Each structure stands twice: as structure tokens, then as C-alpha cells.
Amino acid sequence: MSSILIDKLTADGETLECSVRASTDLERFITDEPFRTQYDVPIEDVPDGVLVIPVLAQLCPVAWANGADVYVDEVDATFAHALEEVETSLCEMHDFLEGGTLYTRRTIDPKPDRGGESGLLFTGGVDSTCSYVRHREESPTLISIRGWTITPDVADDGKWDALRTRVSGFAEDHDLETAFVESNMLSFLDHPMLLAHYKRYVDGGWYSSVGHGLGLLGLCAPLAYARGIEDLYVAATHWDGIDLEWGSRPDVDERVRWAETECHHDAYELTRQERLDVIADYVHSEDPTLQLQTCNDRMDGNCGRCEKCYRTAVGLRLSGLDPSNHGYPFSDAGYDDLRRSLERGDWVLGQDERHMWADIRERARETDPATSAERSFFEWLDDVDLDEMISTSGPPLTHRLLRAGARNAPNSVYNTVYPAWTTAKAGLRLVRSDR
């Protein structure tokens, strides 16, 4: 029977760690590296049933993709019920998910001190900045996470330092608290193997299309318990009317909860351009020098030349702001460069970006261009076939062949080809539920 066992859960100061054992058929998806998360508050007094939430949030989607059951000694009862609802949502979203059952020795119903605090997952991009503006009266704690777009690798230390510096500066300027979380959730999982098996079913990657709503929110559980955070916001990427298979949606995030904490998928009723309008109003009324950070290539500023930088700069112009005043080195010459890159298929784009550019196109149709270069670009965008533009972009053939090879390789071959993988795993001990 396909199964995953969570055991040896420890909390030492600000560090959470636990080991995981899996049945043979699932070994390729989980490395021998223990799951580890570092917080910036002590978590030793957090109950085990809450401490286990971060690792469950990463593992359960993997289990559901394989029809596997998950076994754990103790879990928060509220989160256990939430997992059932999230499982239903994800299985309805993705046909390849089979579902599974969570077994536990006991459930708990802890009652932490109600701190009346709120938290916001924050990067300083368009979506999270819009959510801050909408909830600024609550003075939310800004929570930044290392482990997904910024990996735990030493090579990414500079990116993490840049993000911490930028978020800390934003918090200081706006009289807010911060929380920084570092986790190995995607190196603890064998993310390349997950991509090899499931990329063919999703428009993005495994974590973006399946795991990140539950995964990122779940990572915050011990932090929220320790700091008395009752409302936890995650900014929407998409908006009402876009039905993409995406790991963070209202039907996922709104169902995540534990103890006294409720999670909220914020600003789903607004398109990305409308979120920029919210930011523009805030800039005009309160914060004229506000800086945004959305770059795909840098964390210490915006390169101004990646697709996301160009897209944000054009959106800022459409909302009546000068991009150069808010972190984007953009001029009229950028319109020609942007058009050529989109026509050549220089970037890997998906349906996510298609909807973003369609949103920009709708606003451009309602906007009088400020310059001839802007007019020329808007006219081109009005006529371009967005579906064809997206189809001309894609990962290199070698990447697709590598995924196919890894997907079809037996474990013995995979373990030989990928030296970082080891096969010394203990036997599985199953814990049956008494619920």
C-alpha cells in the first residue's frame, strides 16, 4: 500500500525538524534530507499537532497524487478537517490526483492566546503590496518565506539577504512587524522528480500548479500559533473569471485553517491591472515613493528587461504612474524591445501570462496613449494572437526529454543517474487511526 509516515518531530528553539519514511513506490519523491524550517520566534511551546502542519502541507499533495495514505501521531483537529476540504478542491481541479487518507493516533483542539493579530505573505510585488494597502489598518505582520523562489542553497544567500533588507525597510517605513521563515520544503521533496512525473499534467510547475497555496500557508502554522495571528492573508495571483489549475485559489486557500487561525485568499475580485489601480491610488494619497519588486531575475531591484518587469512597467503606466519612480527602468524604447521579445518567444510563458497580457490589452483599449511608441505597442497588442504568442514559448527540448527519462526510469536507474539520491530508508511503520 502506498503510504507516507511522519515521525521524529522536534522543535528546538526556533527550528522545526522531522523525518519522513515512505513506501518503496514513493521513495523517489522524497529525499533523505529531514524536513526543516527555521522561524524567528521560539516554537518549543507549540503543540506537536500544530508543529506537524508544515510538513503535512508539503507531503499531502504528493500523497494524493499517488493515492497514498499519510500517518502521523498527532494533528490539530481543525487542520485535519481543512485537509479533507483542500483535498476535495485539488482533486476536482486536477484529474491526475487520486486522493488519500490521513491517519492519526489522536487529534487535538488547542486554544492559543487570541492575539487579534493578522499576517500577510509578502514579497513586495504587485499582489502582496495591493493586499497590504487593502489591510493596512490591521498593521499585518509581513511574512516572507525562503524555500521556493529563493532556495536554501548558499548560492541564494544574496537573494535572501536582499529580500530581507527590502521587506524590513518597507516594514520600518510603515510601522510594521516582520517574520522571516526559511524552509527546505522543495529540497526535502525531490522536486525534479515531481516535475518529471507531473509537469505533463499542469501548465506551471508542481509547486505553482498544485502545492504552494496549502504549502506556504501551512509553513506559517507554528509562527501564527506563537505570535497570536488569527487572520493570515495570501494575495491572489489570478482573479474571478480565470479558471486555471493553480495551487493557490479561493477554493484551496480559504479552506486552510488551524487552531484559532483562518486563512484568506485576498483581492480575488480584482484583476492585476485593478490591483495596480489600488496601488496607484495609495501612491497618490499616501506613499509617492513606493517601490515594487517583481523581477524574475533579481531580488535587489528590478532588471527592467524580463517579461515580468516589462509587464509591470506597462501596467504602472496604464494606472497613471511613471514606472521609473517605482523601481522600473522603463522608457519608450522599452516598448520595441518588449514587442520583439514577445514575438521571438524569448521567455517561457503559460496561460498565466496570457491572462495577464489580455488584462493589459483590455485596459490599453480604454487608454489614450501618451506617446507614439506607446500607441504603436498598444496597436500591436490589440491585434496579436495571444494564444499563438504563448504557444511559441516553452522549455527547451532537452528539459522535456530529461523529465520524460526520469519519469520512466525505474528507481534503481534513477538512483544511479542522480547521485544526490540515496536508497538507505528504514522500513515503514503504519499508525492506524482511532478517529
Side-chain angles (χ1 to χ4, degrees):
M1 178 183 293
S2 296
S3 49
I4 298 172
L5 169 69
I6 298 171
D7 63 0
K8 297 181 181 177
L9 183 73
T10 62
D12 183 6
E14 299 172 349
T15 302
L16 171 66
E17 184 172 306
C18 72
S19 58
V20 172
R21 289 181 277 170
S23 54
T24 303
D25 57 317
L26 299 184
E27 284 184 343
R28 65 173 58 192
F29 299 119
I30 303 170
T31 70
D32 285 331
E33 183 178 349
F35 175 81
R36 187 178 299 107
T37 302
Q38 179 79 30
Y39 300 94
D40 55 8
V41 294
I43 57 169
E44 291 175 325
D45 293 334
V46 176
D48 284 356
V50 175
L51 290 174
V52 79
I53 290 174
V55 68
L56 281 175
Q58 317 311 318
L59 284 172
C60 282
V62 178
W64 299 334
N66 293 274
D69 297 331
V70 178
Y71 296 82
V72 64
D73 277 347
E74 176 180 296
V75 67
D76 175 78
T78 300
F79 184 73
H81 293 308
L83 274 180
E84 295 175 355
E85 297 175 14
V86 172
E87 177 186 0
T88 298
S89 292
L90 287 176
C91 287
E92 290 175 352
M93 187 190 314
H94 295 292
D95 290 342
F96 68 90
L97 295 181
E98 302 176 36
T101 302
L102 174 67
Y103 292 96
T104 182
R105 289 184 185 275
R106 57 190 171 274
T107 59
I108 63 171
D109 187 21
K111 299 296 182 183
D113 294 336
R114 297 182 64 88
E117 302 294 323
S118 68
L120 168 64
L121 298 186
F122 189 79
T123 64
V126 170
D127 300 329
S128 62
T129 301
C130 173
S131 288
Y132 162 71
V133 172
R134 285 161 52 95
H135 298 284
R136 63 188 184 277
E137 298 302 322
E138 300 176 35
S139 296
T141 295
L142 304 183
I143 304 171
S144 299
I145 295 174
R146 179 179 187 177
W148 181 18
T149 56
I150 302 177
T151 74
D153 296 341
V154 173
D156 273 358
D157 283 354
K159 292 182 178 180
W160 180 239
D161 290 343
L163 183 143
R164 286 180 62 109
T165 298
R166 179 166 40 80
V167 172
S168 296
F170 184 97
E172 184 176 354
D173 290 343
H174 298 84
D175 195 24
L176 303 171
E177 294 186 4
T178 59
F180 296 101
V181 179
E182 300 183 57
S183 181
N184 67 342
M185 71 272 201
L186 287 190
S187 55
F188 148 75
L189 297 176
D190 194 319
H191 198 242
M193 182 54 77
L194 288 168
L195 286 176
H197 277 256
Y198 303 114
K199 172 63 180 172
R200 53 185 165 163
Y201 299 118
V202 297
D203 181 56
W206 166 265
Y207 212 59
S208 59
S209 295
V210 182
H212 77 283
L214 173 63
L216 296 180
L217 291 169
L219 278 178
C220 298
L223 168 73
Y225 191 97
R227 296 182 71 147
I229 293 175
E230 296 180 21
D231 293 292
L232 181 59
Y233 298 98
V234 57
T237 300
H238 303 138
W239 51 89
D240 194 13
I242 296 180
D243 188 24
L244 289 181
E245 296 168 346
W246 190 249
S248 174
R249 306 196 321 182
D251 55 350
V252 174
D253 300 343
E254 294 282 340
R255 290 170 174 165
V256 181
R257 59 196 184 278
W258 56 83
E260 299 292 340
T261 301
E262 298 282 341
C263 298
H264 310 279
H265 188 85
D266 190 60
Y268 185 67
E269 72 276 14
L270 302 177
T271 71
R272 190 171 192 267
Q273 193 59 50
E274 289 169 339
R275 293 169 200 161
L276 282 167
D277 293 341
V278 171
I279 292 171
D281 289 342
Y282 175 69
V283 165
H284 292 312
S285 65
E286 296 187 37
D287 198 349
T289 62
L290 177 73
Q291 300 293 295
L292 297 174
Q293 171 75 36
T294 61
C295 186
N296 282 329
D297 297 328
R298 292 173 51 185
M299 294 301 297
D300 58 345
N302 298 296
C303 73
R305 301 192 64 81
C306 69
E307 183 272 338
K308 197 170 184 181
C309 278
Y310 276 127
R311 174 163 34 96
T312 305
V314 174
L316 285 167
R317 277 203 169 189
L318 287 168
S319 290
L321 297 177
D322 183 344
S324 63
N325 292 335
H326 304 286
Y328 297 86
F330 185 81
S331 65
D332 273 0
Y335 281 119
D336 286 338
D337 294 337
L338 170 58
R339 174 178 172 175
R340 283 194 294 269
S341 291
L342 289 172
E343 288 177 330
R344 289 194 303 256
D346 288 350
W347 301 300
V348 177
L349 306 177
Q351 289 303 308
D352 191 46
E353 289 80 13
R354 184 208 176 282
H355 286 286
M356 303 289 182
W357 281 109
D359 183 37
I360 287 175
R361 179 164 65 183
E362 289 302 312
R363 178 60 62 85
R365 288 169 174 168
E366 304 168 357
T367 304
D368 290 331
T371 66
S372 60
E374 192 166 80
R375 181 181 301 279
S376 178
F377 179 78
F378 287 174
E379 289 174 350
W380 170 82
L381 185 61
D382 191 53
D383 292 334
V384 73
D385 186 330
L386 292 177
D387 290 320
E388 183 179 348
M389 184 179 81
I390 297 302
S391 68
T392 61
S393 70
L397 176 61
T398 53
H399 291 187
R400 299 197 298 272
L401 292 175
L402 177 62
R403 284 199 299 268
R407 182 171 64 245
N408 296 316
N411 273 1
S412 59
V413 174
Y414 175 73
N415 294 334
T416 301
V417 174
Y418 293 80
W421 181 272
T422 62
T423 56
K425 290 185 178 292
L428 185 67
R429 175 178 58 87
L430 298 184
V431 178
R432 303 301 297 179
S433 173
D434 59 358
R435 63 176 183 168

